[in-house]
């Protein structure tokens, strides 16, 4: 059966995803002040971050309408795999479910469609998309792919991030799942991780950015202790801070990840990670 992946634009674009013709991106909308832009292939990270730094207002985002997903599903392929940012941080997952329902109201069940809640964002979505491609290319059927990828999301992926500032997350209400004690430490450099439920929790903190990066690398190395990482993939998504990503990648060389990618974060991830933010996603 032919297949297509439909991902929201929180899915960072790895080299493999840039090469494949099997993925369609449904963009979120980003805004800062009076400036609004689609989070698509034309997103200019440096320009947008410069606008946020020059503005007195906080950057915001809007999830795609259900019809945008319904239109993306209206394609030639038979098996459709939709991937979205965690429902704990955005309404995009629910919008995708509504888009699936809209399509099926008009067309019945002529396609196999599954909407994956990535329980994360950024590189996790990328790794999920790559896993779907791997399984589909190997000849796995729709149900096998769905079951395997749902398990993959929960049990075989991890995400940590270290931000220069939590102001955007805080002011946009994206920190509701964190303990109140974190907010009291807002001036610290916090290391946070994705939970298996798709929310965010504190993994560590430091008084300087460099020490926080080292601690995050140590946390990841400890998480991978005893695991053969030669076939594992790590994605470091940065917001105007490639050198930070390189520093963390270097600190993780001893883990022996088979594939290491340093890429620019998508528009949505750039908004919430903000200038200097680094998101690290990997398989395990």
């Amino acid at each position: 059966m032919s297949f297509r992946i439909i991902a929201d634009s929180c899915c960072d674009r790895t080299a493999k995803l840039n090469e494949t013709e099997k993925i369609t991106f449904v963009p979120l909308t980003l805004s800062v002040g009076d400036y609004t832009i689609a989070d698509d292939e034309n997103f200019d990270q440096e320009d947008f971050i410069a606008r946020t730094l020059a503005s007195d207002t906080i950057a915001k985002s809007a999830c795609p309408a259900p019809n945008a997903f319904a239109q993306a599903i209206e394609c030639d392929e038979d098996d459709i795999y939709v991937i979205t940012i965690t429902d704990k941080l955005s309404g995009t997952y629910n919008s995708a479910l509504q888009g699936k329902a809209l399509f099926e109201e008009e067309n019945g069940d002529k396609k196999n469609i599954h909407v994956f809640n990535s329980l994360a964002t950024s590189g996790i979505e990328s790794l999920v998309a790559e896993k779907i491609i791997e399984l589909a290319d190997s000849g796995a059927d729709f149900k096998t792919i769905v079951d395997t990828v749902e398990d993959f999301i929960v049990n075989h992926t991890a995400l940590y991030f270290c931000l220069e500032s939590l102001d955007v997350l805080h002011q946009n209400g994206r920190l509701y799942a964190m303990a109140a004690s974190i907010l009291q430490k807002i001036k610290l450099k916090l290391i946070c991780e994705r939970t298996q439920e798709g929310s965010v929790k504190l993994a560590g903190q430091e008084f300087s950015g460099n020490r926080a990066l080292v601690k995050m690398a140590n946390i990841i190395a400890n998480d991978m202790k005893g695991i053969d990482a030669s076939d594992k993939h790590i994605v470091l998504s940065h917001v105007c801070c490639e050198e930070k990503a390189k520093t963390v990648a270097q600190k993780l060389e001893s883990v022996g990840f088979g594939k290491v990618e340093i890429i620019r974060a998508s528009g949505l991830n750039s908004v919430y990670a903000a200038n200097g933010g680094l998101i690290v996603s990997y398989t395990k």
Side-chain angles (χ1 to χ4, degrees):
M1 299 285 279
S2 58
F3 75 96
R4 175 154 296 275
I5 297 168
I6 297 169
D8 64 25
S9 59
C10 309
C11 177
D12 289 337
R13 303 186 186 214
T14 59
K16 186 169 185 175
L17 297 188
N18 278 328
E19 292 169 0
T20 185
E21 296 180 352
K22 288 296 187 178
I23 188 166
T24 298
F25 291 95
V26 178
L28 282 81
T29 302
L30 312 174
S31 63
V32 57
D34 295 330
Y35 179 73
T36 300
I37 188 173
D39 183 12
D40 57 18
E41 68 277 5
N42 297 314
F43 175 76
D44 184 328
Q45 185 185 77
E46 291 185 353
D47 176 74
F48 192 83
I49 291 300
R51 290 174 183 272
T52 65
L53 294 175
S55 176
D56 294 330
T57 61
I58 292 293
K60 298 184 179 297
S61 65
C63 64
N67 192 52
F69 285 102
Q71 290 178 350
I73 294 169
E74 185 66 66
C75 57
D76 295 332
E77 289 79 12
D78 301 308
D79 292 347
I80 309 298
Y81 306 98
V82 185
I83 309 169
T84 77
I85 183 175
T86 173
D87 63 338
K88 300 295 191 298
L89 297 180
S90 170
T92 303
Y93 174 67
N94 286 330
S95 184
L97 289 176
Q98 292 173 37
K100 174 180 181 289
L102 285 174
F103 176 86
E104 291 175 338
E105 284 176 10
E106 294 289 329
N107 301 278
D109 58 357
K110 70 178 185 179
K111 291 179 184 286
N112 297 314
I113 308 168
H114 184 79
V115 181
F116 291 102
N117 178 354
S118 74
L119 302 177
T121 185
S122 190
I124 293 289
E125 290 192 49
S126 314
L127 295 170
V128 169
E130 292 190 8
K131 186 66 173 180
I132 292 170
I133 294 170
E134 172 194 328
L135 291 167
D137 286 348
S138 73
D141 61 34
F142 182 78
K143 184 178 185 307
T144 298
I145 292 174
V146 169
D147 291 345
T148 302
V149 172
E150 289 287 7
D151 175 72
F152 177 75
I153 290 170
V154 175
N155 297 311
H156 300 284
T157 61
L159 180 150
Y160 289 85
F161 62 87
C162 186
L163 311 184
E164 283 296 310
S165 170
L166 291 175
D167 289 347
V168 176
L169 285 173
H170 185 202
Q171 294 188 41
N172 277 288
R174 262 56 179 187
L175 290 178
Y176 67 91
M178 288 187 176
S181 61
I182 296 176
L183 299 181
Q184 295 171 359
K185 301 175 181 178
I186 204 73
K187 297 303 180 183
L188 294 174
K189 302 303 180 186
L190 304 184
I191 304 156
C192 301
E193 65 176 299
R194 183 281 305 261
T195 70
Q196 289 186 322
E197 295 75 36
S199 58
V200 176
K201 72 176 183 180
L202 182 65
Q205 66 275 326
E206 281 291 349
F207 286 102
S208 76
N210 288 337
R211 290 176 63 179
L213 293 178
V214 172
K215 177 171 280 191
M216 180 169 67
N218 289 338
I219 290 171
I220 294 170
N222 187 62
D223 186 44
M224 293 296 293
K225 189 174 182 178
I227 298 175
D228 179 4
S230 60
D231 64 343
K232 308 306 180 187
H233 185 182
I234 186 166
V235 178
L236 299 97
S237 305
H238 70 88
V239 184
C240 300
C241 61
E242 186 175 2
E243 290 306 313
K244 284 185 181 180
K246 290 179 178 178
T247 295
V248 173
Q250 184 179 34
K251 296 293 183 184
L252 289 170
E253 284 181 354
S254 62
V255 176
F257 282 101
K259 187 174 184 180
V260 179
E261 281 192 84
I262 296 175
I263 60 178
R264 289 179 180 269
S266 72
L268 185 283
N269 296 316
S270 296
V271 166
Y272 290 111
N275 188 42
L278 178 64
I279 307 169
V280 183
S281 314
Y282 57 97
T283 57
K284 61 179 184 176

